[in-house]
Amino acid sequence: MSTTPMAMDKTELWDAVLSRLSEKISRMEFCTWFKKVQIDEMNHEAIVIACPTEMNRNWLETKYRAVILANVRAVNPQIGEVFFRVNLKLADAQPSNPSLFQKKPNPRKLPNKPEVRLAEGIESRVIHAKFTLDNFIVGEENRLAHAACLAVAESVGSGQGTKYNPLFVYGGVGLGKTHLLQGTANEIMRRNPDACIVYTTSERFTNEIIKGIRERKGENLRKKYRRVDALIIDDVQFFEGKEQTQNELFNTFNDLFEFGKQIIFSADRPPAELTGISDRLRSRMGWGLSVDVQLPNYETRMAIVQAKSRELGLVLGSDVQDFLAANVRRNLRELENLLTQVHAELEITGASPTVQSVAKIFRKLNPNQNLSVNGRSSMRSLARSTDDIITLISEFYQVPATEILGKSRKKEIVYPRQMAWLLCKDVLKMSYESIGADFGGKNHTTIMHGVRKIKKLLETERQVARHLHALHQDLGVK
Ligand code: ADP
Ligand code: MG
């Protein structure tokens, strides 16, 4: 027997509305905001919804009024208005249909499966359980980023609204951005097994948009994205020049932001420097908090070396640890590759890794880098000559030293070369003449022009200023 809308009492009506809402909004929101809510009063035209707290009422009134009304009307079209009030007695209330609020089994408990958390129908990358905020080693260079991620993870689903929205994490390759983003996703899920999180890369997001457009399912996609509690997009610099995708992201951003959903981005640059991204999207990316990750210092790198080798079950002598911490200076992913290879060799040959055997593997992976074998002494005390500067620049920009000394006019070579001149001038205090002589007999005016050019760039391009800062750090210049 079906009940006609008119004959429905308020409990039946609310149960029907809840069951519809549970399909339309994310599980976590649903459980957070609707569990203790009831219809207090109703007549033919309106209902009054009672909430257990002031915050709950405000939240429903500002964020959910429209969707509640639409679903009430879908059940009983005569109702034209909803009102909200606080009823403190509801704090102890039980829902009339508790099964709607039952916790879903936590898929993370499945053994031996990579952790995947998909919002239905949305393409998401796997979130690896191995990246956590706990096993991220914190040093001065990434402290703020780590703290911000933790604060965000705590705020999602806390019912207190979002903390920093969006959170924007930026920094060079291999400095832990993906680790932090996935660690944040894992932390949100640990606290809230019902949270619906989408972690994706800008490339995957783009492909999905293109597919949606091709199959004319763009609208569905948008509806689905609205159901997530947190949207995490890694490496947004690759949205450069992709206008249609940027438009979609802009709309999705607005939808999510309006509903207080957390958004997290990462990129190799801060938002303001993302060229090729529309002004309106770029400005939104910078609305919340932007934090950077820089290359960790020797002590932090040492802690990472120890943690990663422990994870692999690899026992390394302190001289080998020191070698690794001193030489992995640009990209921590190299460290992972290196340790994996060291581990493989150990398994095959059975011989314990030594500084020599590790250095051999290192050279294969990084033919351009000059090795420091006495650990901490690395570049800092070595930068005494033009050669040291050239080695550093070659490593930093991944350009062979022969090119830096050569005659190529290509931008990718000229810029590092001029940067080398600047360092020779400012750090080694060399004259333009002697720099010219060391760089293949160039005229001193050529050197002077090159140095001036970099100084000019320093005023306008923050990327260049950051490079110089990193190079100075390597050289131990304060
Ligand atoms: P990015 O996304 O910035 O290019 P990743 O997050 O992929 O860098 O980091 C590269 C590797 O270095 C990963 O294996 C990551 O676990 C590791 N890593 C980076 N920073 C840290 C850190 N502070 N503590 C522990 N591991 C780190
Ligand atoms: Mg990454």
Side-chain angles (χ1 to χ4, degrees):
M1 189 188 82
S2 71
T3 326
T4 63
M6 286 309 290
M8 264 185 167
D9 71 13
K10 48 190 193 186
T11 312
E12 285 170 317
L13 170 67
W14 190 235
D15 278 352
V17 170
L18 283 180
S19 125
R20 295 176 63 90
L21 287 173
S22 71
E23 303 282 310
K24 297 210 166 57
I25 59 185
S26 92
R27 184 102 206 122
M28 192 183 78
E29 289 173 90
F30 183 69
C31 293
T32 309
W33 300 117
F34 290 90
K35 195 164 180 179
K36 301 191 171 200
V37 169
Q38 294 178 2
I39 296 183
D40 235 11
E41 278 177 51
M42 96 183 227
N43 61 28
H44 291 302
E45 293 148 14
I47 57 171
V48 180
I49 289 178
C51 308
T53 62
E54 187 81 16
M55 178 155 79
N56 201 155
R57 189 206 54 196
N58 291 345
W59 200 268
L60 290 196
E61 196 162 14
T62 54
K63 309 273 185 198
Y64 293 103
R65 197 188 151 276
V67 66
I68 292 173
L69 182 60
N71 284 281
V72 167
R73 289 178 55 84
V75 180
N76 182 348
Q78 288 174 340
I79 292 180
E81 193 54 270
V82 286
F83 299 98
F84 296 86
R85 74 159 68 117
V86 180
N87 179 348
L88 297 175
K89 287 195 195 117
L90 291 177
D92 304 316
Q94 290 302 319
S96 65
N97 185 356
S99 63
L100 277 176
F101 296 94
Q102 249 158 27
K103 286 230 175 284
K104 278 194 278 181
N106 186 344
R108 282 185 297 160
K109 304 240 164 73
L110 297 175
N112 299 330
K113 283 224 171 130
E115 204 170 304
V116 202
R117 193 68 179 202
L118 297 179
E120 205 185 323
I122 299 181
E123 292 199 20
S124 174
R125 287 270 310 268
V126 170
I127 299 171
H128 291 280
K130 69 170 182 172
F131 294 125
T132 68
L133 293 183
D134 270 351
N135 68 14
F136 186 82
I137 309 269
V138 179
E140 278 318 306
E141 301 77 2
N142 55 27
R143 189 179 305 281
L144 189 60
H146 180 262
C149 286
L150 194 59
V152 161
E154 282 167 2
S155 75
V156 174
S158 68
Q160 315 278 326
T162 47
K163 184 112 189 189
Y164 306 116
N165 207 14
L167 175 65
F168 196 102
V169 180
Y170 66 92
V173 176
L175 299 185
K177 300 183 297 297
T178 297
H179 187 138
L180 278 174
L181 263 50
Q182 295 218 355
T184 307
N186 280 319
E187 185 61 24
I188 297 173
M189 286 190 282
R190 194 178 67 77
R191 289 161 181 269
N192 260 297
D194 284 325
C196 170
I197 299 167
V198 170
Y199 166 87
T200 186
T201 60
S202 53
E203 272 161 320
R204 193 169 273 257
F205 188 86
T206 305
N207 290 341
E208 198 183 4
I209 298 300
I210 293 169
K211 202 166 135 211
I213 292 166
R214 198 174 50 224
E215 294 170 5
R216 297 179 207 291
K217 287 190 185 143
E219 197 47 40
N220 291 352
L221 206 65
R222 248 174 100 178
K223 278 197 195 126
K224 281 172 188 159
Y225 268 106
R226 282 183 205 160
R227 291 186 58 190
V228 309
D229 298 301
L231 172 64
I232 306 177
I233 307 185
D234 211 349
D235 287 323
V236 297
Q237 71 272 13
F238 296 122
F239 281 134
E240 207 164 90
K242 296 181 178 134
E243 263 169 51
Q244 208 159 13
T245 309
Q246 288 182 29
N247 285 342
E248 263 328 298
L249 178 60
F250 177 77
N251 292 328
T252 305
F253 182 102
N254 291 341
D255 290 346
L256 293 178
F257 192 86
E258 187 191 341
F259 281 91
K261 310 300 189 64
Q262 182 67 47
I263 305 155
I264 309 178
F265 296 118
S266 86
D268 64 351
R269 279 158 280 175
E273 291 171 35
L274 286 168
T275 44
I277 291 200
S278 68
D279 289 348
R280 58 180 196 168
L281 182 56
R282 194 174 44 215
S283 98
R284 272 165 180 71
M285 286 177 169
W287 267 359
L289 176 70
S290 302
V291 284
D292 67 337
V293 283
Q294 290 177 16
L295 186 76
N297 65 20
Y298 175 86
E299 281 75 19
T300 314
R301 296 202 302 266
M302 187 56 134
I304 297 175
V305 166
Q306 289 168 347
K308 296 271 169 194
S309 44
R310 210 175 309 124
E311 266 169 39
L312 285 167
L314 198 59
V315 181
L316 299 177
S318 58
D319 53 341
V320 177
Q321 291 179 358
D322 172 82
F323 172 86
L324 289 167
N327 285 293
V328 174
R329 292 206 297 270
R330 217 96 352 267
N331 176 343
L332 294 164
R333 201 165 302 136
E334 283 174 3
L335 180 66
E336 199 122 324
N337 296 341
L338 204 60
L339 287 174
T340 311
Q341 293 223 13
V342 170
H343 189 239
E345 268 190 26
L346 173 68
E347 297 221 304
I348 295 163
T349 64
S352 290
T354 60
V355 170
Q356 284 69 32
S357 70
V358 174
K360 212 167 128 195
I361 302 175
F362 197 101
R363 264 191 213 102
K364 260 192 270 170
L365 296 174
N366 301 283
N368 284 336
Q369 183 171 332
N370 223 19
L371 289 182
S372 130
V373 190
N374 302 324
R376 308 197 56 166
S377 63
S378 68
M379 239 7 206
R380 285 166 195 273
S381 55
L382 290 177
R384 293 282 172 266
S385 67
T386 318
D387 277 354
D388 297 328
I389 300 280
I390 292 170
T391 307
L392 174 65
I393 291 284
S394 147
E395 236 179 88
F396 190 89
Y397 292 103
Q398 294 291 303
V399 180
T402 46
E403 292 271 33
I404 297 172
L405 286 165
K407 293 193 158 59
S408 167
R409 305 292 313 153
K410 279 194 223 132
K411 200 171 143 226
E412 332 54 286
I413 312 282
V414 172
Y415 165 59
R417 184 187 293 144
Q418 292 174 338
M419 188 61 108
W421 296 346
L422 177 80
L423 291 175
C424 287
K425 181 83 186 93
D426 286 0
V427 178
L428 301 184
K429 312 284 182 215
M430 290 167 68
S431 66
Y432 293 126
E433 283 78 10
S434 48
I435 299 172
D438 280 0
F439 279 79
K442 289 195 167 57
N443 190 296
H444 72 277
T445 52
T446 310
I447 308 292
M448 199 168 71
H449 281 306
V451 170
R452 274 204 195 136
K453 219 163 148 195
I454 296 285
K455 290 207 162 150
K456 211 162 187 138
L457 280 179
L458 280 170
E459 285 165 16
T460 52
E461 304 276 323
R462 275 199 274 172
Q463 180 92 351
V464 179
R466 264 205 305 281
H467 287 171
L468 184 63
H469 178 72
L471 289 164
H472 275 171
Q473 273 191 328
D474 258 355
L475 292 168
V477 176
K478 288 273 163 222

